[in-house]
Amino acid sequence: MSVDAMATEGGAPRTLVAFDGYAAQDLVLSPDGRTLLLTSNRSADWDIWSVPVAGGDLTPFATSPTFDGEPQWSPDGSQVSFTSGRSGGTADIWVMPAG
């Protein structure tokens, strides 16, 4: 599985992230179109990862020993809300700075 990007003008798609043996879901693009957040189990737990659309490495954004997922950008792109089980018990909604 991979996440690919293609310019609105067309052309060949470019792979942003390749997932060999891992899954990805909840892909959300930042309001400025520069950063993609996604939920993946590539670290054995479901965590939120970030990748620049212009190219670069996939980096951890929100991680915990429990589920972190379902990211959503604030309209101005300054914050991200997500669901997490990090407080124990039920899942809660967390908000953190985007940068």
Side-chain angles (χ1 to χ4, degrees):
M1 177 182 158
S2 66
V3 176
D4 300 324
M6 184 167 53
T8 55
E9 302 83 32
R14 179 176 47 86
T15 298
L16 294 178
V17 181
F19 290 93
D20 297 325
Y22 301 103
Q25 60 190 32
D26 307 325
L27 285 75
V28 290
L29 188 61
S30 63
D32 64 8
R34 295 180 182 179
T35 306
L36 180 71
L37 293 178
L38 55 93
T39 304
S40 176
N41 65 342
R42 79 183 273 140
S43 63
D45 295 317
W46 286 94
D47 293 315
I48 300 172
W49 297 79
S50 172
V51 64
V53 172
D57 294 328
L58 190 67
T59 58
F61 179 80
T63 63
S64 73
T66 63
F67 174 82
D68 288 321
E70 302 173 331
Q72 293 294 317
W73 293 93
S74 64
D76 67 359
S78 67
Q79 298 181 46
V80 174
S81 65
F82 60 97
T83 304
S84 178
R86 61 181 65 194
S87 62
T90 62
D92 295 315
I93 296 174
W94 290 68
V95 177
M96 63 185 280

